[in-house]
Amino acid sequence: MEPQLAATDYHMQVATAVDERRLWQRHLKMAVFGARDDGGVNRQALSPADVSARIQLIEWATSRGYACATDPVGNLFVRREGRNPSLPAILTGSHLDSQPAGGKFDGVYGVLAGMEVLHALDTVGVATERAIEVVAWTNEEGSRFVPGMAGSSAFAGTLPLEKLLATRDREGILFEDALASVLAATPNVKRRALGFPVGAYLEAHIEQGPVLESTRCGIGVVAGIQGTRWFTVHVKGASAHAGTTPLAMRRDAFKATTSIVTALSSLLADGDDVLRFTVGRVVVEPNSPNTVPGSVQFTIDFRHPDFEILKKLGDRVESTCMEHAGKCDILVNETLNMSPIQFDKTITDIVSAAADELGLARMFLTSGAFHDAKSLSEMCPTGMIFVPCANGISHSPSENADPAGLAAGARVLALAVEQLAQRTTLSSPGRR
Ligand code: GLV
Ligand code: MN
Ligand code: MN
């Protein structure tokens, strides 16, 4: 059936066809794959749990007749055809991988909300000019393979394919080998080339912060994403006997690390509490109570919405580490350097109008987390929709969200994606 009604009428039908219960049940189903004893999720990219989640997604897609395809980095696409298949599709989605101690919503929500959009358009019988594709990007989190946003960056051409395939996880497993086992487990999924023209990209995600909940605002229209720089620091000392080695003779990598982290904390102190600085992973070796630590490797996650501050302070990280290393040697590697971005005004206008049409309170927000939308913003008009999460908590097993809030975000997504998919012309990336 073609939409015969005025847009506002069939928009309401599409919104109503978004099924809150189905969306919620699908989150619970996905949370089984990589479930942790504490109620959280550990679903590392290209792991057996990721394979199970992919198979589930493919089952949901094929049971509705959508074509599935995967590209050379394992990004997985579900396509609802448009009237004009030669027009670049509208993409919506997010990621299925999680943090090691992650929750049930970060990433998965964007994928499942996208599936709900396809389902709702089918229920109402809306045909669109452009195809709509739901995408699950590979390795967004960066917790197994560094950097994060890997699949979407390779897709957008900002991370070379060979470099990603040659990346190893902490056990030494190659991305390429982990990917091969995923592809072997999903043999009936069509292969497609890496990267193709995209009309526009819109990603739904939980906010992962407290603003929407505390202001009782159901929809965040994401104005942009703050910048992020990641570093790994290797502090090389010498392991020695803890009982016999005089302090003056030691090259204690852990003590040097404490001095370095204290110095970095001063460098990156911010009275306004806008800057973010985290040392999230510390690997001490040999990690034995009676041995002086000979080696420490730690990560730095540094974020700021202002490009100049990100540049100025980030450029001082390496020298600060060197200056406070004492007798240890230092090796600093920058593994991610993502400038702050502003999303496309066409998209933020459409998202705002969709929220207004549905009578949902909305506000503009800048994302503190990075997302695959950053990668896509390099190649097409891009935007994001945030929904609240409980107490603003994310990257934690206690991550939670309200079923009605998730459905509201999916309804805004449905209206916005449908409108984008009816447009035969869409501009290349513009900035707000
Ligand atoms: C994404 O997960 C981030 O760390 O911002
Ligand atoms: Mn995410
Ligand atoms: Mn995350």
Side-chain angles (χ1 to χ4, degrees):
M1 181 188 97
E2 302 284 306
Q4 307 279 320
L5 301 165
T8 42
D9 292 331
Y10 81 83
H11 285 172
M12 284 309 150
Q13 291 181 20
V14 170
T16 307
V18 166
D19 187 328
E20 176 183 320
R21 191 164 177 279
R22 179 175 56 214
L23 182 60
W24 182 254
Q25 292 301 331
R26 285 186 167 186
H27 279 89
L28 300 187
K29 177 74 195 170
M30 280 297 197
V32 169
F33 309 124
R36 290 165 50 97
D37 291 345
D38 57 10
V41 173
N42 178 10
R43 192 165 50 242
Q44 294 304 298
L46 308 180
S47 66
D50 187 13
V51 169
S52 302
R54 286 163 183 259
I55 290 173
Q56 177 63 78
L57 182 66
I58 293 163
E59 261 174 44
W60 282 329
T62 47
S63 72
R64 296 203 53 77
Y66 304 133
C68 296
T70 190
D71 68 14
V73 295
N75 296 319
L76 179 60
F77 303 88
V78 174
R79 183 174 173 101
R80 180 181 189 267
E81 199 50 86
R83 282 199 194 95
N84 189 343
S86 62
L87 284 173
I90 304 303
L91 250 59
T92 182
S94 193
H95 57 99
L96 295 176
D97 64 320
S98 80
Q99 287 289 311
K104 299 184 182 74
F105 304 93
D106 176 3
V108 186
Y109 170 57
V111 177
L112 296 181
M115 293 298 286
E116 206 50 48
V117 171
L118 303 193
H119 210 132
L121 292 176
D122 282 350
T123 305
V124 181
V126 177
T128 54
E129 287 301 316
R130 294 171 188 263
I132 302 170
E133 296 204 23
V134 176
V135 54
W137 302 108
T138 300
N139 195 69
E140 189 273 347
E141 294 289 1
S143 55
R144 180 170 184 194
F145 297 100
V146 174
M149 303 173 290
S152 56
S153 302
F155 180 87
T158 53
L159 175 61
L161 173 63
E162 311 70 48
K163 190 170 172 195
L164 178 55
L165 295 179
T167 303
R168 291 181 189 272
D169 70 6
R170 280 185 293 160
E171 269 76 57
I173 299 172
L174 269 177
F175 183 100
E176 187 170 21
D177 293 341
L179 176 64
S181 58
V182 171
L183 297 181
T186 50
N188 297 326
V189 177
K190 203 176 70 190
R191 304 290 174 86
R192 86 199 287 188
L194 184 63
F196 47 83
V198 178
Y201 178 69
L202 185 55
E203 176 169 350
H205 207 284
I206 56 167
E207 182 203 341
Q208 307 186 277
V211 178
L212 290 176
E213 186 182 61
S214 62
T215 54
R216 294 177 187 281
C217 194
I219 299 295
V221 182
V222 186
I225 305 184
Q226 72 172 340
T228 303
R229 294 181 74 171
W230 277 7
F231 303 85
T232 55
V233 183
H234 192 173
V235 185
K236 296 177 193 170
S239 58
H241 197 291
T244 61
T245 316
L247 296 188
M249 287 179 62
R250 294 184 182 193
R251 294 175 65 221
D252 184 328
F254 185 71
K255 277 207 177 148
T257 299
T258 59
S259 305
I260 291 168
V261 173
T262 304
L264 288 170
S265 300
S266 304
L267 173 73
L268 303 174
D270 176 15
D272 296 331
D273 207 7
V274 172
L275 185 152
R276 303 283 180 258
F277 163 56
T278 307
V279 173
R281 176 182 290 158
V282 182
V283 180
V284 182
E285 283 170 317
N287 211 16
S288 165
N290 49 353
T291 296
V292 176
S295 159
V296 173
Q297 298 192 58
F298 70 93
T299 56
I300 298 169
D301 177 308
F302 162 44
R303 308 190 191 203
H304 204 284
D306 183 323
F307 174 83
E308 293 304 331
I309 294 177
L310 198 71
K311 169 147 181 48
K312 191 176 99 197
L313 294 178
D315 287 354
R316 287 179 57 190
V317 163
E318 181 168 9
S319 56
T320 304
C321 294
M322 301 284 187
E323 281 157 25
H324 294 83
K327 288 189 273 182
C328 293
D329 297 321
I330 298 289
L331 185 65
V332 178
N333 266 320
E334 183 158 16
T335 53
L336 179 71
N337 187 340
M338 179 196 135
S339 299
I341 56 155
Q342 292 292 303
F343 284 132
D344 191 282
K345 184 164 167 15
T346 312
I347 308 289
T348 52
D349 284 351
I350 287 179
V351 171
S352 304
D356 293 347
E357 195 177 337
L358 294 170
L360 297 165
R362 46 101 176 163
M363 67 187 293
F364 282 95
L365 284 175
T366 294
S367 176
F370 57 70
H371 298 281
D372 294 304
K374 145 72 179 127
S375 312
L376 272 288
S377 72
E378 311 279 347
M379 60 185 298
C380 65
T382 293
M384 289 190 77
I385 299 167
F386 277 174
V387 295
C389 56
N391 304 311
I393 293 172
S394 182
H395 284 193
S396 160
S398 53
E399 185 179 274
N400 202 359
D402 171 34
L406 297 174
R411 292 187 178 112
V412 174
L413 182 70
L415 264 52
V417 163
E418 190 268 342
Q419 285 172 64
L420 288 165
Q422 300 297 15
R423 293 193 178 188
T424 48
T425 54
L426 281 163
S427 63
S428 50
R431 295 289 182 240
R432 292 182 75 246

